[in-house]
Amino acid sequence: MDPRVLRSLWPIFAAETREQLQTIGTAVLGLEQGTAEQAAEQLTALKREVHSLKGSAASLGLSDIEQLVHAIEDGLARCSPGHVPPPGLVDSTLRSLSAIEAALNRGDAGEPPTIEGLAGLLAGLGRGGFVPPAETKTRVSAHFRRDGLQTLEKLESALGRLCSPGLEDRPGAVWEAVGLAELLKAAANTAGITAVESLASSIRAGFARMEEAGVGASVAASDIAGALVQLRGSLEALAEETAPEPASAPVEPEVTARSAAGRRQPDMDRAVRVSVRTLDSLALQVEQLAAGRAQQLRRAEAHRELMEQTNHALLQLERAAQQLALSGNGGGALESLRAGVGQVRGVQKRLLQLSKDTHREGEQLALVAQVVRDDLRDLRMVPASQMLEPLKRTVRELAARLGKDVELVLAGGDVRIDRRIVDVLKDPLQHLVRNALDHGLESTSERVAAGKSPRGMLSVRVEPRGTRLAVVVEDDGAGLSPENVRATAVRRGLLGEAEAAKLTDMQAARLIFEPGFSTREQVTETSGRGVGLDVVQSTATRLQGAVDVSFVPGEGTRFTIDLPLILAGALGLLVRAGTSVVAIPSDAVERVLRLMPGDVGTVAGHVVARVEDEQLPFHALSSSIHMPRLPLAIESGKPQTAMVLALGGVRAVFAIDAVVGQQEIVVRSLGPHLRGVAHLAGAAVLDDGSVVPVLNAPELLRVAAAPVVLRAATETRRPHILVCDDALTTRFAIKSLLEIAGYSVVTAGDGQEALGILERTPCQLVVSDWQMPRLDGIGLTRRIRAHPKLSNIPVILCTSLDSPQERAAGLEAGADGYLVKREVERGKLLDLVRQLLPTSV
C-alpha cells in the first residue's frame, strides 16, 4: 500500500485493532470457563472478531500482522465447540496478541509495524508460514467464492443506494462501499486470485469517485456496473475449478465492513470514530464559548449599571426643566430641553428592551453551551474495563512464569472515566499488578505453610467517589515490611540509619515510591530495576491525583490511586497567596477556616496546625509555590485564613491571604517549557480574561506531608551525576543503572547541552559518550577542565571506540576514566564511579 495512504489510515486502524485485541484476549481466556453452550457461543464470536482483524490487516498490506492473525484463526479452527481449548493454544494466542500490540506501538512511533520473533510465534500456533498447502487450495477457493458472492451482493446494493435520489449520508455510503471493495481485494490477494483482485481494485476506485453527485458520479456508476458484471462471472467461474464443499464444513464469518454489520442491527446506536485531537479542539471551543458567556454576563451587569446612571441623569434633567418652567425664564431653551429628554427616554426604553432580548438569548446560548459541554464530556468517557481487561493477560502470563497460583478479581469495569486517564494509567496499573504478583503474593508452598489458601487473591477495582474515583489494587500476600524498607533505604543511601529509625511505619512504607527504590537484591526479568512504583507516583501526580499504600503484616497490601473523574474542566477555588491569585481544584479543598494563634505550633521541630484535635503539617502556600510571601497574620498574633487540602488520605494545612472566589475553570497545559514545574497543573482563563496558574494539589500535599529528614536526605546525600549521550537508549540504560545504585541522574543529548546543565545544576561526576553532534565527548572534557568552576568534576568517557590511540586521546583530554560500552554491563562503570566518588554510597 502507498505509505501516504497507510499513514492516513493508521490512526483508525490502530485504534480499532487495539479494541479487537482486547476483545480477542478476553474471549480466549473466557473459553476456559463457563458452560459448554457459552463456550460455543464465545468461540463463534471470537472467530468472527479474528477474521475481521485479519481482513483489516490484509487491506493495509501489513503482512506480519496478517500472517500471525491467520495462524490464530487456524488454531481456533481446531477447537471443538463446547470443549476447553488446550492451554498451549491459549498461551500462544496471548503471546501473539502481545506481539501485535508491540507492533502497533512501533507503528505509532512512525516505525514499520513488524512483529519480532514472527517465526517462533507462528510455530507456537502450529504454522510454519502463511502459504496455504496445496491440498487446501480447493477449500480456500470454495470459501472465497461463497464469501465473494456475498460481498458482491452488498456492493450491488451499495451502488443502487448511491444512484437513488435523496440519499442523506452519501459520504458514509461511499466509505462503506470502498471498505467492502478493499476487503474483497485483500481476500483475493490472500487466495491468489489475481483477476478478482484487479476487478475489486477498479470497483474501489469507482466508488471513491462517487462521493460528490454529478456527471462524474454517473460515469463512475456506469464503470462500476460493468465491473460488477465481470466480477460475478469471475466468481461463478471458480465453481468449475473447485469441488462441492462438504455439507458439514463450518461456516466462516462474513467478510463485511463494520458499518454494514451495524445496519443489520437497527436497535443499536450508530457509532463513528473521532480523533482525540478533534475532541480536544471541540472541547476547547466549547470552553471558550462558556467563557465568552461568562464575559457577556459581566458586560450585561456593567450595562445595567450604566442604564441606572442614565436614568439618574435624566431625572436630574427633568427636575432642572421643571425648575426652569416654574421660574418662567426658560423660553425656547426649555422646549428644546424637554424635547431632548423625551428623545433620550425613547432611546432608553429601546435599550432596555434590547437588553432584555440579549439576556434571554444569552440564557438560551448558555443552556446550549452546557448541553454541548456535557455531551463532549460524555464522548471522552469510556468504561474502565478498557484498562482492566488487559490485566487478565498480564496476570496469567506472569503468574505462570513465577509459578504462582493466582485468582484475579476485577470490579468496576462499567465505571466511565476520562479516556485520557485510561490511556495514561494503563502502564502504571500494569506496574502495580506486576509488583503485587512478584513482591506481594507468596508462592504456593509459603502460603500453605502460613495457613493460607494455596491460591493467592489479587483484586483490582475502580470505585467512584463523587467527583473523583479510586483505583484500588489489593492482594492477600505477606504485606509490606517497614523494617525491610528502612534497611533498603539505608543501604541505597536514601537515608542514614538514625534518620530511618525516626520514620513511622507509614512514612517508611511511602519510601517505595522514591525513584530507584527496590527491595529486590538481584535484577530479574520482573523486578529489581528500581522502576515502577515511582512511575505510579509521578503519573498520579500528573493526572492531578495521588497514590497511597496501606498494609497489614501477613494479610496483604493495598495501593489506592485517587484521581479526578474528568480532566480539564473543574470547579476551582481562587485564592490570593502573597502577591498572586492562584486557582486550586475545589475537590482537593476539604475546608477553608480561620486559625487562631494558639492553633499553630511546632512538634519535633515541624510546624503544625491543630484542626479538630488533629495535628496537620502547616505551610504558607506562597512559600510552597515559590512566590513572594507577605507576612502571615498569625505572625502578629491575628487570625489566619487557611485551607485544608486532602487527597488519598493525606492532609495538610496551607496559609492563604484571602479567598477571591470560585468558578468553573478549564485547566490548560503550560507546554514543555514549564512541564518540570511540579506544583503547577496548568493555567486557566477567568471570566474577566485574566490568566491564573492552577496548582497541582497532590504535589503540594506530597511535599508538605513528606518527612523533613527524607526531603533533606534525598536532596543532599545523593550524589548528582550527569549522563551525556546522543543515543536515547544508551542514555537511559546508563541512567537506570546509576539510579538503581542510589545516584541522582540528569541527562543531556550532547556536549553543548551538558555544559549548560553543569553551569546551573551542581553535579559531582560526568559520564559522557565520545561521538556526539555539536560538541563531542573530547570537546566537553576539555571545556570542563578549562572552566574555572567545573574543572574539578571527574569525567568518565564511555564509548564504543576501543583503540589504544583513542583511549590515549581521551585520557590526554583530561578524562578520569575511559570505558568501552560493553564493559558497562559487567559492572565496571559502577566500580569506577565509586572510585571517583569515594564518599558516596
Side-chain angles (χ1 to χ4, degrees), residues 438-658:
D438 193 30
H439 293 275
L441 293 170
E442 315 96 325
S443 64
T444 302
S445 58
E446 290 172 336
R447 293 182 63 86
V448 172
K452 295 183 177 181
S453 167
R455 167 169 286 192
M457 294 292 297
L458 176 60
S459 168
V460 183
R461 57 185 183 273
V462 178
E463 302 174 352
R465 298 179 178 179
T467 60
R468 303 185 69 83
L469 63 93
V471 181
V472 183
V473 179
E474 186 175 7
D475 64 72
D476 66 346
L480 197 66
S481 171
E483 295 78 11
N484 192 15
V485 173
R486 289 190 184 94
T488 302
V490 172
R491 185 174 64 254
R492 293 187 176 272
L494 296 176
L495 292 173
E497 293 185 5
E499 296 164 338
K502 295 179 183 179
L503 299 180
T504 65
D505 285 351
M506 289 309 302
Q507 289 174 340
R510 292 197 62 83
L511 289 176
I512 62 178
F513 297 110
E514 289 297 313
F517 189 92
S518 177
T519 58
R520 183 72 71 189
E521 293 295 337
Q522 296 180 344
V523 175
T524 67
E525 185 178 356
T526 307
S527 301
R529 293 167 173 80
V531 294
L533 293 183
D534 62 316
V535 173
V536 178
Q537 171 82 61
S538 60
T539 302
T541 301
R542 183 154 50 98
L543 293 174
Q544 305 167 41
V547 60
D548 193 25
V549 60
S550 60
F551 60 93
V552 177
E555 297 185 14
T557 306
R558 175 188 300 169
F559 289 90
T560 303
I561 307 177
D562 182 90
L563 297 167
L565 273 174
I566 302 174
L567 295 177
L571 187 63
L573 181 69
L574 304 177
V575 301
R576 180 175 289 108
T579 59
S580 304
V581 174
V582 298
I584 188 164
S586 295
D587 57 6
V589 182
E590 183 179 281
R591 61 185 294 191
V592 176
L593 70 164
R594 300 276 284 179
L595 293 174
M596 304 305 294
D599 295 330
V600 179
T602 60
V603 175
H606 305 159
V607 182
V608 297
R610 185 176 68 249
V611 179
E612 296 180 348
D613 297 328
E614 184 178 359
Q615 303 288 350
L616 299 177
F618 178 82
H619 299 270
L621 181 61
S622 55
S623 299
S624 299
I625 61 178
H626 313 296
M627 299 294 288
R629 183 173 83 89
L630 299 177
L632 296 179
I634 204 167
E635 295 175 354
S636 57
K638 300 178 181 178
Q640 175 68 54
T641 304
M643 62 180 178
V644 180
L645 298 186
L647 282 176
V650 181
R651 302 169 72 210
V653 181
F654 291 87
I656 57 178
D657 294 292

Side-chain angles (χ1 to χ4, degrees), residues 20-31 39-53 69 72-73 75-77 79 85 89-90 93 97 253:
Q20 291 173 317
L21 291 178
Q22 180 173 319
T23 301
I24 294 170
T26 302
V28 168
L29 290 172
L31 292 178
E41 294 177 356
Q42 290 175 346
L43 182 60
T44 301
L46 177 58
K47 288 180 178 179
R48 186 181 301 113
E49 196 73 28
V50 171
H51 192 81
S52 176
L53 175 56
V69 177
I72 294 174
E73 186 178 37
L76 294 174
C79 294
L89 175 61
V90 175
T93 301
L97 296 179

Side-chain angles (χ1 to χ4, degrees), residues 11 28 42 105 118 234 249 286 331 366 435 489 519 627 640 668 675 692 786:
V28 168
Q42 290 175 346
N105 294 335
L118 178 61
S234 298
V286 171
N435 181 76
T519 58
M627 299 294 288
Q640 175 68 54
R668 300 178 184 176
R675 189 173 296 162
V692 297

Side-chain angles (χ1 to χ4, degrees), residues 73-89:
E73 186 178 37
D74 286 350
L76 294 174
R78 297 193 296 270
C79 294
S80 301
H83 293 79
V84 176
L89 175 61

Side-chain angles (χ1 to χ4, degrees), residues 304-555:
R304 186 187 63 79
E305 294 176 357
L306 288 175
M307 291 288 291
E308 291 179 355
Q309 295 174 8
T310 303
N311 186 60
H312 181 68
L314 284 172
L315 289 176
Q316 290 181 332
L317 291 174
E318 289 176 342
R319 191 177 298 114
Q322 291 175 357
Q323 291 174 352
L324 286 173
L326 291 174
S327 65
N329 297 324
L334 178 61
E335 293 301 323
S336 298
L337 178 60
R338 285 176 173 173
V341 170
Q343 290 176 355
V344 174
R345 281 291 183 191
V347 173
Q348 185 187 36
K349 289 181 180 180
R350 289 196 297 273
L351 286 175
L352 182 60
Q353 183 61 42
L354 181 62
S355 177
K356 290 180 179 179
D357 294 342
T358 302
H359 179 75
R360 182 177 64 256
E361 293 169 357
E363 290 296 327
Q364 294 175 348
L365 181 63
L367 179 61
V368 172
Q370 185 61 45
V371 172
V372 175
R373 176 191 287 180
D374 292 343
D375 288 344
L376 276 173
R377 287 181 176 177
D378 288 341
L379 284 176
R380 286 189 179 278
M381 307 298 276
V382 296
S385 58
Q386 290 194 11
M387 68 179 181
L388 295 181
E389 289 296 331
L391 298 178
K392 293 180 178 179
R393 287 159 50 192
T394 300
V395 171
R396 179 187 176 93
E397 294 173 3
L398 186 55
R401 188 188 311 155
L402 298 175
K404 295 182 179 181
D405 187 7
V406 181
E407 180 179 351
L408 175 65
V409 179
L410 302 177
D414 56 342
V415 176
R416 298 182 66 82
I417 56 181
D418 196 310
R419 174 60 182 263
R420 289 168 292 181
I421 293 179
V422 170
D423 292 340
V424 175
L425 201 60
K426 282 182 178 179
D427 287 342
L429 197 56
Q430 293 274 355
H431 281 306
L432 285 178
V433 168
R434 295 171 69 88
N435 181 76
L437 288 170
D438 193 30
H439 293 275
L441 293 170
E442 315 96 325
S443 64
T444 302
S445 58
E446 290 172 336
R447 293 182 63 86
V448 172
K452 295 183 177 181
S453 167
R455 167 169 286 192
M457 294 292 297
L458 176 60
S459 168
V460 183
R461 57 185 183 273
V462 178
E463 302 174 352
R465 298 179 178 179
T467 60
R468 303 185 69 83
L469 63 93
V471 181
V472 183
V473 179
E474 186 175 7
D475 64 72
D476 66 346
L480 197 66
S481 171
E483 295 78 11
N484 192 15
V485 173
R486 289 190 184 94
T488 302
V490 172
R491 185 174 64 254
R492 293 187 176 272
L494 296 176
L495 292 173
E497 293 185 5
E499 296 164 338
K502 295 179 183 179
L503 299 180
T504 65
D505 285 351
M506 289 309 302
Q507 289 174 340
R510 292 197 62 83
L511 289 176
I512 62 178
F513 297 110
E514 289 297 313
F517 189 92
S518 177
T519 58
R520 183 72 71 189
E521 293 295 337
Q522 296 180 344
V523 175
T524 67
E525 185 178 356
T526 307
S527 301
R529 293 167 173 80
V531 294
L533 293 183
D534 62 316
V535 173
V536 178
Q537 171 82 61
S538 60
T539 302
T541 301
R542 183 154 50 98
L543 293 174
Q544 305 167 41
V547 60
D548 193 25
V549 60
S550 60
F551 60 93
V552 177
E555 297 185 14

